[in-house]
Amino acid sequence: MVILLAVLFALQSVIIMPTTSGTADRTAQAQIQEETRDALGIAAREGALSETIRNWDSASDAWIDDERDDAEDEPAFYRADQPGPDESLTYETAAFANQSSLGAILESRFAAQGWNYNVELVAADGTDDGAFETTPLVYQGSAPPDAVTASYVVTLYEDEELTSPDGDEIALEDAHRDHAYPIASAGDDSPVYAVVEVRATVW
Amino acid sequence: MVDAEPTSRDRGQLVIIGALALAFIVLGIVVVFNGILYTEGLPSGTTSQSATTAETTDAEIEQGVGCVLVRADNESDAAESIAAFGESYEEMRSQSTAAVVTVESGPERVSVSGSESANAMVTVAYDSHDVTHETNLSVDESHCPEVGDP
């Protein structure tokens, strides 16, 4: 009886540490989230975030040195060379840092310190059923439950063009139709092309 | 056997029973307290996941409306474009957060012509489980970032 009670008691007791609730405690999580949000805000301020999500190229074989003959020159974000989920090409963190100011901030603050992050674009898929499509920009794996997210909504306009070196003077609508640009037009004749959420998940 | 009159042996039993009772009470308190602390330490889910705040919302809308104004020729066009932007924005927000955002403006609150830079008054209502606020943003063309080389 006494032994049974002792065992039950020992099983019940848990040592409570700052990390009991996850790898980082809640204060640290809130701070990471705030930093991520600030990174997005700073990147958006000069319009760089909009340029980043228009950095689409029609042929990825220009920078992927693929020895296979059957390598397809599928369209991708400029200089994205990592296979992501659903067979798309995503950035590796260093390449993303070279291509965008958001990437540079995230790389120096998070990647260099051993944090992982995903960056993805969420936009309406252009159909009438109100569904949304997610496009990964950086994909480092699926996020654990204690990851934090921050997002920033960027507006794209009809008269804007792709920003990759080969994409000059290709309007977004043509890019979507001819070059598989993943963000569809909102579909009406207003100057607003689409409203895109840039979502960063850090863990 | 227990007699009617207390003996020294009876007092000893009383002490033992009292000590045991006290010990169990202490153990019980420890178990309960431990449970409370542990529950408190667990993450409370959605609070750490909320993806945006009211301030970010204001910045996003200022930028979006500012760039619409740069592209607008007259008041009714601008108001129409702002309405279209507001609709897309509200839809986007409703799928990504638990907050409800509404964006409102109208032709009478937009001024495009004239020598001054175009400006618009936009009412933004932000409503989530812990924050509710409504602001009137005065947006002009300077809120649209200059597009330079990447």
Side-chain angles (χ1 to χ4, degrees):
Chain A
M1 168 78 181
V2 173
I3 293 171
L4 190 68
L5 277 178
V7 168
L8 277 180
F9 184 75
L11 283 179
Q12 249 292 307
S13 53
V14 182
I15 300 169
I16 296 178
M17 306 267 286
T19 53
T20 301
S21 53
T23 50
D25 70 316
R26 272 184 285 171
T27 334
Q29 277 186 338
Q31 192 187 336
I32 293 296
Q33 186 176 30
E34 195 59 50
E35 285 183 33
T36 315
R37 191 179 293 148
D38 289 348
L40 287 163
I42 290 167
R45 182 148 305 164
E46 300 304 326
L49 207 49
S50 167
E51 278 162 15
T52 303
I53 64 183
R54 284 183 283 132
N55 198 0
W56 183 259
D57 200 285
S58 54
S60 59
D61 63 349
W63 64 86
I64 294 182
D65 186 21
D66 207 324
E67 272 131 35
R68 291 171 299 151
D69 283 336
D70 59 344
E72 293 166 38
D73 50 345
E74 49 183 320
F77 283 100
Y78 184 62
R79 295 217 174 271
D81 57 0
Q82 300 293 311
D86 58 29
E87 307 203 343
S88 56
L89 287 170
T90 62
Y91 284 112
E92 186 251 329
T93 55
F96 191 50
N98 286 334
Q99 293 301 321
S100 78
S101 58
L102 172 68
I105 299 171
L106 290 179
E107 153 122 85
S108 62
R109 173 61 188 94
F110 294 120
Q113 315 266 334
W115 292 79
N116 294 312
Y117 51 85
N118 289 345
V119 181
E120 55 194 13
L121 307 177
V122 184
D125 65 1
T127 55
D128 289 334
D129 56 5
F132 286 83
E133 198 171 356
T134 306
T135 311
L137 264 176
V138 178
Y139 185 78
Q140 297 196 287
S142 63
D146 59 345
V148 298
T149 67
S151 70
Y152 196 94
V153 174
V154 180
T155 314
L156 296 178
Y157 300 89
E158 293 278 355
D159 59 356
E160 288 181 325
E161 294 162 352
L162 295 185
T163 54
S164 67
D166 291 339
D168 246 6
E169 306 194 348
I170 299 178
L172 294 180
E173 208 150 350
D174 299 339
H176 179 66
R177 195 180 53 235
D178 302 334
H179 302 293
Y181 185 56
I183 296 162
S185 168
D188 45 28
D189 53 359
S190 80
V192 176
Y193 177 79
V195 175
V196 184
E197 179 186 5
V198 182
R199 189 184 292 168
T201 310
V202 181
W203 72 94
Chain B
M1 291 296 289
V2 177
D3 290 332
E5 53 188 88
T7 63
S8 60
R9 177 174 288 252
D10 284 340
R11 282 202 290 275
Q13 272 183 346
L14 209 65
V15 168
I16 288 172
I17 291 169
L20 276 177
L22 202 66
F24 275 106
I25 288 169
V26 168
L27 285 182
I29 287 174
V30 167
V31 168
V32 170
F33 197 59
N34 195 294
I36 291 173
L37 278 184
Y38 183 70
T39 318
E40 217 174 58
L42 287 176
S44 48
T46 54
T47 46
S48 64
Q49 302 282 334
S50 76
T52 190
T53 62
E55 302 98 87
T56 320
T57 303
D58 288 356
E60 289 162 359
I61 291 172
E62 274 177 356
Q63 216 171 62
V65 174
C67 290
V68 164
L69 289 174
V70 171
R71 289 163 172 84
D73 299 326
N74 59 54
E75 271 84 2
S76 62
D77 263 10
E80 224 168 90
S81 304
I82 293 174
F85 163 75
E87 203 178 303
S88 311
Y89 187 86
E90 286 159 20
E91 205 179 310
M92 168 56 67
R93 266 280 160 262
S94 65
Q95 65 87 34
S96 74
T97 55
V100 176
V101 181
T102 54
V103 182
E104 259 182 41
S105 190
E108 70 283 354
R109 300 169 70 193
V110 182
S111 138
V112 174
S113 49
S115 53
E116 292 169 42
S117 93
N119 64 75
M121 292 293 294
V122 183
T123 306
V124 178
Y126 179 92
D127 218 339
S128 74
H129 67 286
D130 56 351
V131 185
T132 300
H133 93 151
E134 191 174 308
T135 43
N136 280 308
L137 298 176
S138 173
V139 186
D140 60 40
E141 290 181 8
S142 66
H143 286 108
C144 185
E146 293 290 323
V147 178
D149 292 322

